[in-house]
């Protein structure tokens, strides 16, 4: 048996690699524990642009997990966490690896806990909720509920890769978050395995004055407080109508004030995307419109009569602010191409490539100043800075 350098691996107690792996193989079956170098390398990073560059430089090879344990049930998750706790080995829950904050680089030598085999799906059409396994991708979930006349309302741009467990663990927000909410709003219950291997189910009533809501301990905690094995999510009747339109925006300040006015008037368009001039450029060019202005895309869905009325009121608000309507073509183009990531690997293949993508949020009173200050802070570091607001709330946006 080979002894590893514990300082290098992050392992805190004297032990051998083989003991941990042997126990995992006994619990899960040898075929569910991988030490294949290529698979370990793939499990050592997400989709953060910085990781793409480090991988090209060969600098992720020394930071791989010790093994990947693939599980298909809460009991198996409990078994892995029990072994890890006994040997004091870190565990990194692995969903679709679409995360963009470098979460998998923190504990080389850890057990990578592959949750993609957790595939439960169980819809309650009367209560409009569904139990979904952590390993179901967001796209698979949407396809499953659509087959039964519903929508999840959750359409992040990474939906073909990201899993439900990953989305809950990062408090993810989809592109239609203004109407449907983010994960924090959608979760109606969780099944979670704690570090000691116990499986708990949080309160499942619609809502009640029964003390702190335990769901909020785990939503956004990135697996630090427990491994999510399934989530009970609310679903919505599939919308009968979906409308998209666009406005040319003279300045970010005017665009942000327009969004604030929409919220003040009590409207919640499902989709809101306010692009600065730089990020709007490619979208304008794609529909043969001259670049040079910012772009606001607004989308709404639901009953046709309500949707049309809300879109009309938004248009009146924007007209009252002197904002020019730019037709539907550019909005429909964005919608049709919203899952194209073509530019990202392309840009990362060039010197420099994409430096990073960061989310910044601020209350309405500070949002224009924060938008400008963020751009100014980044400008000396990058050849090009693109910014947009894509989630708005009662009190501000991000
Ligand atoms: C092109 C692109 C577009 C994106 N668009 C969006 C977007 O619109 N909205 C958005 O919110 N995000 C977006 N993201 C970011 C990413 O998709 C989300 O953070 C997503 O939630 C990650 O899910 P995942 O299954 O890939 O999780 P992973 O990347 O595998 O994991 C993310 C974190 O969650 C932990 N984790 C994973 N599964 C579990 C679990 N079951 N229990 C406990 N912890 C767990 C991991 O340990 C890690 O810390 C985008 C990313 C890319 C690359």
């Amino acid at each position: 048996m080979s002894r590893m350098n514990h300082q290098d691996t992050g392992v805190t107690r004297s032990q051998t690699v083989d003991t941990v792996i042997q126990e995992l193989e006994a619990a899960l079956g040898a075929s569910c524990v991988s030490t294949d170098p290529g698979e370990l390398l793939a499990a050592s990073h997400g989709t953060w642009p910085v990781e793409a560059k480090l991988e090209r430089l060969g600098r992720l090879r020394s930071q791989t997990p010790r093994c990947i344990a693939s599980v298909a049930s809460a009991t198996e998750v409990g078994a892995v966490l029990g072994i890890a706790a006994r040997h004091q080995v870190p565990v990194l829950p692995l969903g679709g690896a679409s995360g963009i904050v470098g979460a998998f680089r923190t504990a080389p030598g850890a057990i990578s806990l592959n949750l993609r085999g957790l595939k439960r799906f169980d819809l309650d059409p009367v209560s409009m909720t569904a139990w979904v396994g952590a390993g179901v991708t967001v796209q698979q979930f949407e396809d499953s509920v659509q087959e039964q006349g519903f929508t999840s309302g959750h359409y992040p741009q990474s939906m073909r890769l990201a899993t439900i467990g990953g989305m809950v663990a990062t408090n993810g927000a989809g592109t239609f978050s203004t109407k449907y909410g983010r994960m924090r709003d959608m979760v109606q219950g969780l099944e979670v395995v704690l570090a000691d291997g116990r499986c708990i189910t949080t309160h499942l009533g619609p809502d009640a004055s029964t003390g702190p809501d335990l769901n909020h301990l785990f939503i956004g905690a990135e697996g630090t407080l427990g491994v999510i094995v399934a989530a009970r999510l609310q679903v919505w009747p599939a919308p009968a109508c979906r409308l998209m339109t666009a406005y040319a925006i003279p300045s970010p300040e005017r665009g942000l004030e327009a969004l604030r006015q929409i919220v003040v008037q009590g409207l919640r368009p499902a989709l809101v995307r306010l692009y600065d001039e730089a990020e709007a450029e490619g979208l304008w060019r794609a529909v043969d419109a001259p670049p040079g202005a910012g772009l606001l895309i607004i989308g709404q869905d639901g009953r046709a009569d309500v949707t049309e009325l809300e879109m009309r009121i938004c248009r009146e608000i924007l007209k009252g602010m002197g904002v020019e309507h730019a037709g539907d073509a550019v909005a429909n183009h964005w919608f049709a191409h919203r899952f194209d990531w073509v530019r990202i690997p392309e840009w990362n293949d060039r010197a420099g490539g994409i430096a990073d993508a960061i989310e910044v949020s601020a209350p309405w009173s500070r949002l224009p100043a924060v938008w400008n200050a963020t751009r100014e802070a980044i400008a000396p570091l990058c050849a090009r800075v693109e910014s947009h607001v894509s989630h708005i709330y009662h009190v501000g946006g991000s």
Side-chain angles (χ1 to χ4, degrees), residues 271-302:
L271 169 93
V272 160
R273 295 188 80 83
L274 172 63
Y275 292 103
D276 68 3
E277 212 180 296
E279 194 166 354
E281 187 184 338
L283 288 164
W284 289 125
R285 286 193 195 285
V287 294
D288 295 326
L295 168 66
L296 172 61
I297 298 176
I298 291 188
Q300 183 58 299
D301 64 14

PDB file of all heavy atoms in Angstrom, residues 271-302:
ATOM      1  N   LEU A 271     -38.784  37.836 -17.885  1.00  0.00           N
ATOM      2  CA  LEU A 271     -37.399  37.955 -18.350  1.00  0.00           C
ATOM      3  C   LEU A 271     -37.021  39.418 -18.488  1.00  0.00           C
ATOM      4  O   LEU A 271     -37.761  40.204 -19.086  1.00  0.00           O
ATOM      5  CB  LEU A 271     -37.270  37.292 -19.727  1.00  0.00           C
ATOM      6  CG  LEU A 271     -35.952  37.563 -20.444  1.00  0.00           C
ATOM      7  CD1 LEU A 271     -34.950  36.472 -20.135  1.00  0.00           C
ATOM      8  CD2 LEU A 271     -36.134  37.675 -21.940  1.00  0.00           C
ATOM      9  N   VAL A 272     -35.862  39.758 -17.937  1.00  0.00           N
ATOM     10  CA  VAL A 272     -35.345  41.119 -18.061  1.00  0.00           C
ATOM     11  C   VAL A 272     -33.856  41.011 -18.330  1.00  0.00           C
ATOM     12  O   VAL A 272     -33.141  40.344 -17.574  1.00  0.00           O
ATOM     13  CB  VAL A 272     -35.580  41.880 -16.733  1.00  0.00           C
ATOM     14  CG1 VAL A 272     -34.663  43.059 -16.624  1.00  0.00           C
ATOM     15  CG2 VAL A 272     -37.014  42.321 -16.603  1.00  0.00           C
ATOM     16  N   ARG A 273     -33.374  41.600 -19.426  1.00  0.00           N
ATOM     17  CA  ARG A 273     -31.924  41.610 -19.676  1.00  0.00           C
ATOM     18  C   ARG A 273     -31.539  42.989 -20.185  1.00  0.00           C
ATOM     19  O   ARG A 273     -31.934  43.395 -21.282  1.00  0.00           O
ATOM     20  CB  ARG A 273     -31.534  40.532 -20.703  1.00  0.00           C
ATOM     21  CG  ARG A 273     -31.799  39.134 -20.191  1.00  0.00           C
ATOM     22  CD  ARG A 273     -31.263  38.074 -21.094  1.00  0.00           C
ATOM     23  NE  ARG A 273     -29.836  37.850 -20.921  1.00  0.00           N
ATOM     24  CZ  ARG A 273     -29.313  37.070 -19.979  1.00  0.00           C
ATOM     25  NH1 ARG A 273     -30.089  36.453 -19.118  1.00  0.00           N
ATOM     26  NH2 ARG A 273     -28.013  36.903 -19.902  1.00  0.00           N
ATOM     27  N   LEU A 274     -30.786  43.702 -19.367  1.00  0.00           N
ATOM     28  CA  LEU A 274     -30.327  45.044 -19.732  1.00  0.00           C
ATOM     29  C   LEU A 274     -28.831  44.968 -20.032  1.00  0.00           C
ATOM     30  O   LEU A 274     -28.019  44.740 -19.133  1.00  0.00           O
ATOM     31  CB  LEU A 274     -30.577  46.017 -18.571  1.00  0.00           C
ATOM     32  CG  LEU A 274     -29.965  47.409 -18.729  1.00  0.00           C
ATOM     33  CD1 LEU A 274     -30.576  48.147 -19.920  1.00  0.00           C
ATOM     34  CD2 LEU A 274     -30.154  48.230 -17.449  1.00  0.00           C
ATOM     35  N   TYR A 275     -28.476  45.109 -21.321  1.00  0.00           N
ATOM     36  CA  TYR A 275     -27.078  44.991 -21.747  1.00  0.00           C
ATOM     37  C   TYR A 275     -26.460  46.363 -21.952  1.00  0.00           C
ATOM     38  O   TYR A 275     -27.114  47.267 -22.492  1.00  0.00           O
ATOM     39  CB  TYR A 275     -26.992  44.262 -23.095  1.00  0.00           C
ATOM     40  CG  TYR A 275     -27.370  42.802 -23.036  1.00  0.00           C
ATOM     41  CD1 TYR A 275     -28.604  42.378 -23.498  1.00  0.00           C
ATOM     42  CD2 TYR A 275     -26.478  41.857 -22.545  1.00  0.00           C
ATOM     43  CE1 TYR A 275     -28.945  41.029 -23.464  1.00  0.00           C
ATOM     44  CE2 TYR A 275     -26.813  40.513 -22.508  1.00  0.00           C
ATOM     45  CZ  TYR A 275     -28.047  40.108 -22.967  1.00  0.00           C
ATOM     46  OH  TYR A 275     -28.378  38.784 -22.929  1.00  0.00           O
ATOM     47  N   ASP A 276     -25.191  46.500 -21.580  1.00  0.00           N
ATOM     48  CA  ASP A 276     -24.484  47.729 -21.940  1.00  0.00           C
ATOM     49  C   ASP A 276     -24.163  47.677 -23.440  1.00  0.00           C
ATOM     50  O   ASP A 276     -24.360  46.646 -24.104  1.00  0.00           O
ATOM     51  CB  ASP A 276     -23.231  47.932 -21.078  1.00  0.00           C
ATOM     52  CG  ASP A 276     -22.137  46.908 -21.340  1.00  0.00           C
ATOM     53  OD1 ASP A 276     -22.307  46.050 -22.235  1.00  0.00           O
ATOM     54  OD2 ASP A 276     -21.116  46.952 -20.645  1.00  0.00           O
ATOM     55  N   GLU A 277     -23.663  48.821 -23.940  1.00  0.00           N
ATOM     56  CA  GLU A 277     -23.390  48.948 -25.371  1.00  0.00           C
ATOM     57  C   GLU A 277     -22.448  47.845 -25.871  1.00  0.00           C
ATOM     58  O   GLU A 277     -22.655  47.268 -26.939  1.00  0.00           O
ATOM     59  CB  GLU A 277     -22.731  50.314 -25.572  1.00  0.00           C
ATOM     60  CG  GLU A 277     -23.027  50.967 -26.865  1.00  0.00           C
ATOM     61  CD  GLU A 277     -22.310  52.317 -26.920  1.00  0.00           C
ATOM     62  OE1 GLU A 277     -22.639  53.195 -26.103  1.00  0.00           O
ATOM     63  OE2 GLU A 277     -21.418  52.455 -27.779  1.00  0.00           O
ATOM     64  N   ALA A 278     -21.417  47.535 -25.054  1.00  0.00           N
ATOM     65  CA  ALA A 278     -20.409  46.557 -25.492  1.00  0.00           C
ATOM     66  C   ALA A 278     -21.026  45.174 -25.663  1.00  0.00           C
ATOM     67  O   ALA A 278     -20.802  44.491 -26.665  1.00  0.00           O
ATOM     68  CB  ALA A 278     -19.263  46.502 -24.480  1.00  0.00           C
ATOM     69  N   GLU A 279     -21.827  44.739 -24.687  1.00  0.00           N
ATOM     70  CA  GLU A 279     -22.387  43.387 -24.776  1.00  0.00           C
ATOM     71  C   GLU A 279     -23.533  43.326 -25.786  1.00  0.00           C
ATOM     72  O   GLU A 279     -23.799  42.279 -26.378  1.00  0.00           O
ATOM     73  CB  GLU A 279     -22.855  42.893 -23.395  1.00  0.00           C
ATOM     74  CG  GLU A 279     -23.103  41.393 -23.407  1.00  0.00           C
ATOM     75  CD  GLU A 279     -23.236  40.764 -22.031  1.00  0.00           C
ATOM     76  OE1 GLU A 279     -23.024  41.457 -21.017  1.00  0.00           O
ATOM     77  OE2 GLU A 279     -23.567  39.565 -21.980  1.00  0.00           O
ATOM     78  N   ALA A 280     -24.202  44.478 -25.991  1.00  0.00           N
ATOM     79  CA  ALA A 280     -25.323  44.498 -26.950  1.00  0.00           C
ATOM     80  C   ALA A 280     -24.833  44.443 -28.397  1.00  0.00           C
ATOM     81  O   ALA A 280     -25.573  44.019 -29.292  1.00  0.00           O
ATOM     82  CB  ALA A 280     -26.154  45.764 -26.737  1.00  0.00           C
ATOM     83  N   GLU A 281     -23.579  44.841 -28.621  1.00  0.00           N
ATOM     84  CA  GLU A 281     -23.073  45.007 -29.990  1.00  0.00           C
ATOM     85  C   GLU A 281     -23.338  43.778 -30.872  1.00  0.00           C
ATOM     86  O   GLU A 281     -23.900  43.882 -31.965  1.00  0.00           O
ATOM     87  CB  GLU A 281     -21.571  45.321 -29.939  1.00  0.00           C
ATOM     88  CG  GLU A 281     -21.009  45.683 -31.292  1.00  0.00           C
ATOM     89  CD  GLU A 281     -19.493  45.907 -31.233  1.00  0.00           C
ATOM     90  OE1 GLU A 281     -18.958  46.192 -30.137  1.00  0.00           O
ATOM     91  OE2 GLU A 281     -18.862  45.768 -32.299  1.00  0.00           O
ATOM     92  N   GLY A 282     -22.957  42.600 -30.366  1.00  0.00           N
ATOM     93  CA  GLY A 282     -23.108  41.374 -31.158  1.00  0.00           C
ATOM     94  C   GLY A 282     -24.571  41.059 -31.450  1.00  0.00           C
ATOM     95  O   GLY A 282     -24.907  40.550 -32.530  1.00  0.00           O
ATOM     96  N   LEU A 283     -25.442  41.362 -30.486  1.00  0.00           N
ATOM     97  CA  LEU A 283     -26.869  41.071 -30.674  1.00  0.00           C
ATOM     98  C   LEU A 283     -27.473  41.994 -31.737  1.00  0.00           C
ATOM     99  O   LEU A 283     -28.225  41.552 -32.605  1.00  0.00           O
ATOM    100  CB  LEU A 283     -27.608  41.225 -29.340  1.00  0.00           C
ATOM    101  CG  LEU A 283     -27.332  40.115 -28.322  1.00  0.00           C
ATOM    102  CD1 LEU A 283     -27.762  40.538 -26.921  1.00  0.00           C
ATOM    103  CD2 LEU A 283     -28.053  38.829 -28.723  1.00  0.00           C
ATOM    104  N   TRP A 284     -27.123  43.295 -31.673  1.00  0.00           N
ATOM    105  CA  TRP A 284     -27.633  44.216 -32.699  1.00  0.00           C
ATOM    106  C   TRP A 284     -27.155  43.767 -34.084  1.00  0.00           C
ATOM    107  O   TRP A 284     -27.926  43.711 -35.039  1.00  0.00           O
ATOM    108  CB  TRP A 284     -27.138  45.649 -32.452  1.00  0.00           C
ATOM    109  CG  TRP A 284     -27.731  46.371 -31.262  1.00  0.00           C
ATOM    110  CD1 TRP A 284     -27.042  46.938 -30.235  1.00  0.00           C
ATOM    111  CD2 TRP A 284     -29.123  46.639 -30.995  1.00  0.00           C
ATOM    112  NE1 TRP A 284     -27.901  47.529 -29.336  1.00  0.00           N
ATOM    113  CE2 TRP A 284     -29.188  47.363 -29.788  1.00  0.00           C
ATOM    114  CE3 TRP A 284     -30.313  46.332 -31.653  1.00  0.00           C
ATOM    115  CZ2 TRP A 284     -30.391  47.787 -29.225  1.00  0.00           C
ATOM    116  CZ3 TRP A 284     -31.515  46.756 -31.099  1.00  0.00           C
ATOM    117  CH2 TRP A 284     -31.545  47.470 -29.900  1.00  0.00           C
ATOM    118  N   ARG A 285     -25.844  43.451 -34.185  1.00  0.00           N
ATOM    119  CA  ARG A 285     -25.286  43.067 -35.493  1.00  0.00           C
ATOM    120  C   ARG A 285     -25.967  41.813 -36.035  1.00  0.00           C
ATOM    121  O   ARG A 285     -26.173  41.682 -37.236  1.00  0.00           O
ATOM    122  CB  ARG A 285     -23.780  42.805 -35.374  1.00  0.00           C
ATOM    123  CG  ARG A 285     -22.953  44.072 -35.233  1.00  0.00           C
ATOM    124  CD  ARG A 285     -21.467  43.758 -35.443  1.00  0.00           C
ATOM    125  NE  ARG A 285     -20.612  44.831 -34.977  1.00  0.00           N
ATOM    126  CZ  ARG A 285     -20.434  45.980 -35.609  1.00  0.00           C
ATOM    127  NH1 ARG A 285     -21.067  46.211 -36.737  1.00  0.00           N
ATOM    128  NH2 ARG A 285     -19.636  46.905 -35.105  1.00  0.00           N
ATOM    129  N   ALA A 286     -26.322  40.881 -35.120  1.00  0.00           N
ATOM    130  CA  ALA A 286     -26.928  39.613 -35.556  1.00  0.00           C
ATOM    131  C   ALA A 286     -28.255  39.823 -36.276  1.00  0.00           C
ATOM    132  O   ALA A 286     -28.676  38.982 -37.068  1.00  0.00           O
ATOM    133  CB  ALA A 286     -27.125  38.699 -34.350  1.00  0.00           C
ATOM    134  N   VAL A 287     -28.929  40.944 -35.985  1.00  0.00           N
ATOM    135  CA  VAL A 287     -30.209  41.199 -36.678  1.00  0.00           C
ATOM    136  C   VAL A 287     -30.077  42.395 -37.628  1.00  0.00           C
ATOM    137  O   VAL A 287     -31.070  43.049 -37.970  1.00  0.00           O
ATOM    138  CB  VAL A 287     -31.362  41.423 -35.663  1.00  0.00           C
ATOM    139  CG1 VAL A 287     -31.650  40.162 -34.885  1.00  0.00           C
ATOM    140  CG2 VAL A 287     -31.069  42.584 -34.709  1.00  0.00           C
ATOM    141  N   ASP A 288     -28.814  42.656 -38.033  1.00  0.00           N
ATOM    142  CA  ASP A 288     -28.520  43.736 -38.992  1.00  0.00           C
ATOM    143  C   ASP A 288     -28.995  45.102 -38.519  1.00  0.00           C
ATOM    144  O   ASP A 288     -29.385  45.952 -39.330  1.00  0.00           O
ATOM    145  CB  ASP A 288     -29.145  43.424 -40.373  1.00  0.00           C
ATOM    146  CG  ASP A 288     -28.506  42.202 -40.998  1.00  0.00           C
ATOM    147  OD1 ASP A 288     -27.290  42.008 -40.771  1.00  0.00           O
ATOM    148  OD2 ASP A 288     -29.217  41.428 -41.667  1.00  0.00           O
ATOM    149  N   ALA A 289     -28.983  45.303 -37.206  1.00  0.00           N
ATOM    150  CA  ALA A 289     -29.319  46.631 -36.674  1.00  0.00           C
ATOM    151  C   ALA A 289     -28.010  47.330 -36.327  1.00  0.00           C
ATOM    152  O   ALA A 289     -27.037  46.666 -35.954  1.00  0.00           O
ATOM    153  CB  ALA A 289     -30.190  46.495 -35.437  1.00  0.00           C
ATOM    154  N   PRO A 290     -27.957  48.657 -36.439  1.00  0.00           N
ATOM    155  CA  PRO A 290     -26.694  49.336 -36.136  1.00  0.00           C
ATOM    156  C   PRO A 290     -26.386  49.268 -34.642  1.00  0.00           C
ATOM    157  O   PRO A 290     -27.276  49.489 -33.822  1.00  0.00           O
ATOM    158  CB  PRO A 290     -26.966  50.789 -36.565  1.00  0.00           C
ATOM    159  CG  PRO A 290     -28.449  50.923 -36.600  1.00  0.00           C
ATOM    160  CD  PRO A 290     -29.022  49.567 -36.849  1.00  0.00           C
ATOM    161  N   PRO A 291     -25.144  48.911 -34.264  1.00  0.00           N
ATOM    162  CA  PRO A 291     -24.796  48.916 -32.840  1.00  0.00           C
ATOM    163  C   PRO A 291     -24.648  50.359 -32.355  1.00  0.00           C
ATOM    164  O   PRO A 291     -24.844  51.289 -33.119  1.00  0.00           O
ATOM    165  CB  PRO A 291     -23.462  48.175 -32.808  1.00  0.00           C
ATOM    166  CG  PRO A 291     -22.899  48.310 -34.164  1.00  0.00           C
ATOM    167  CD  PRO A 291     -24.023  48.535 -35.128  1.00  0.00           C
ATOM    168  N   GLY A 292     -24.325  50.524 -31.096  1.00  0.00           N
ATOM    169  CA  GLY A 292     -24.097  51.883 -30.597  1.00  0.00           C
ATOM    170  C   GLY A 292     -25.029  52.250 -29.463  1.00  0.00           C
ATOM    171  O   GLY A 292     -24.901  53.322 -28.885  1.00  0.00           O
ATOM    172  N   ALA A 293     -25.968  51.369 -29.137  1.00  0.00           N
ATOM    173  CA  ALA A 293     -26.852  51.645 -27.995  1.00  0.00           C
ATOM    174  C   ALA A 293     -26.857  50.433 -27.080  1.00  0.00           C
ATOM    175  O   ALA A 293     -26.520  49.322 -27.497  1.00  0.00           O
ATOM    176  CB  ALA A 293     -28.272  51.918 -28.490  1.00  0.00           C
ATOM    177  N   GLY A 294     -27.252  50.652 -25.839  1.00  0.00           N
ATOM    178  CA  GLY A 294     -27.510  49.523 -24.948  1.00  0.00           C
ATOM    179  C   GLY A 294     -28.805  48.847 -25.381  1.00  0.00           C
ATOM    180  O   GLY A 294     -29.507  49.332 -26.271  1.00  0.00           O
ATOM    181  N   LEU A 295     -29.106  47.723 -24.751  1.00  0.00           N
ATOM    182  CA  LEU A 295     -30.272  46.941 -25.179  1.00  0.00           C
ATOM    183  C   LEU A 295     -31.013  46.429 -23.953  1.00  0.00           C
ATOM    184  O   LEU A 295     -30.396  45.916 -23.013  1.00  0.00           O
ATOM    185  CB  LEU A 295     -29.773  45.753 -26.023  1.00  0.00           C
ATOM    186  CG  LEU A 295     -30.763  44.636 -26.359  1.00  0.00           C
ATOM    187  CD1 LEU A 295     -31.873  45.161 -27.271  1.00  0.00           C
ATOM    188  CD2 LEU A 295     -30.030  43.475 -27.050  1.00  0.00           C
ATOM    189  N   LEU A 296     -32.335  46.599 -23.968  1.00  0.00           N
ATOM    190  CA  LEU A 296     -33.166  46.009 -22.910  1.00  0.00           C
ATOM    191  C   LEU A 296     -34.116  45.008 -23.561  1.00  0.00           C
ATOM    192  O   LEU A 296     -34.884  45.373 -24.456  1.00  0.00           O
ATOM    193  CB  LEU A 296     -33.967  47.100 -22.187  1.00  0.00           C
ATOM    194  CG  LEU A 296     -35.024  46.604 -21.183  1.00  0.00           C
ATOM    195  CD1 LEU A 296     -34.388  45.792 -20.062  1.00  0.00           C
ATOM    196  CD2 LEU A 296     -35.812  47.783 -20.599  1.00  0.00           C
ATOM    197  N   ILE A 297     -34.029  43.746 -23.125  1.00  0.00           N
ATOM    198  CA  ILE A 297     -34.968  42.729 -23.608  1.00  0.00           C
ATOM    199  C   ILE A 297     -35.943  42.435 -22.475  1.00  0.00           C
ATOM    200  O   ILE A 297     -35.531  42.223 -21.327  1.00  0.00           O
ATOM    201  CB  ILE A 297     -34.228  41.439 -24.024  1.00  0.00           C
ATOM    202  CG1 ILE A 297     -33.266  41.728 -25.177  1.00  0.00           C
ATOM    203  CG2 ILE A 297     -35.221  40.352 -24.419  1.00  0.00           C
ATOM    204  CD1 ILE A 297     -32.419  40.538 -25.595  1.00  0.00           C
ATOM    205  N   ILE A 298     -37.225  42.444 -22.813  1.00  0.00           N
ATOM    206  CA  ILE A 298     -38.251  42.126 -21.821  1.00  0.00           C
ATOM    207  C   ILE A 298     -39.094  40.981 -22.364  1.00  0.00           C
ATOM    208  O   ILE A 298     -39.474  40.980 -23.540  1.00  0.00           O
ATOM    209  CB  ILE A 298     -39.128  43.364 -21.529  1.00  0.00           C
ATOM    210  CG1 ILE A 298     -38.283  44.400 -20.778  1.00  0.00           C
ATOM    211  CG2 ILE A 298     -40.368  42.990 -20.722  1.00  0.00           C
ATOM    212  CD1 ILE A 298     -39.032  45.579 -20.260  1.00  0.00           C
ATOM    213  N   GLY A 299     -39.345  39.987 -21.526  1.00  0.00           N
ATOM    214  CA  GLY A 299     -40.183  38.861 -21.935  1.00  0.00           C
ATOM    215  C   GLY A 299     -41.214  38.578 -20.861  1.00  0.00           C
ATOM    216  O   GLY A 299     -40.963  38.794 -19.670  1.00  0.00           O
ATOM    217  N   GLN A 300     -42.376  38.123 -21.290  1.00  0.00           N
ATOM    218  CA  GLN A 300     -43.407  37.763 -20.316  1.00  0.00           C
ATOM    219  C   GLN A 300     -44.123  36.518 -20.811  1.00  0.00           C
ATOM    220  O   GLN A 300     -44.199  36.276 -22.020  1.00  0.00           O
ATOM    221  CB  GLN A 300     -44.388  38.936 -20.131  1.00  0.00           C
ATOM    222  CG  GLN A 300     -45.466  38.717 -19.095  1.00  0.00           C
ATOM    223  CD  GLN A 300     -44.901  38.411 -17.695  1.00  0.00           C
ATOM    224  OE1 GLN A 300     -44.190  37.414 -17.485  1.00  0.00           O
ATOM    225  NE2 GLN A 300     -45.209  39.245 -16.733  1.00  0.00           N
ATOM    226  N   ASP A 301     -44.615  35.710 -19.881  1.00  0.00           N
ATOM    227  CA  ASP A 301     -45.406  34.554 -20.306  1.00  0.00           C
ATOM    228  C   ASP A 301     -46.537  34.291 -19.326  1.00  0.00           C
ATOM    229  O   ASP A 301     -46.578  34.855 -18.242  1.00  0.00           O
ATOM    230  CB  ASP A 301     -44.515  33.322 -20.519  1.00  0.00           C
ATOM    231  CG  ASP A 301     -43.830  32.840 -19.258  1.00  0.00           C
ATOM    232  OD1 ASP A 301     -44.214  33.275 -18.154  1.00  0.00           O
ATOM    233  OD2 ASP A 301     -42.911  32.013 -19.370  1.00  0.00           O
ATOM    234  N   GLY A 302     -47.482  33.451 -19.761  1.00  0.00           N
ATOM    235  CA  GLY A 302     -48.654  33.138 -18.936  1.00  0.00           C
ATOM    236  C   GLY A 302     -49.898  33.139 -19.801  1.00  0.00           C
ATOM    237  O   GLY A 302     -49.839  32.821 -20.995  1.00  0.00           O
TER     238      GLY A 302
END
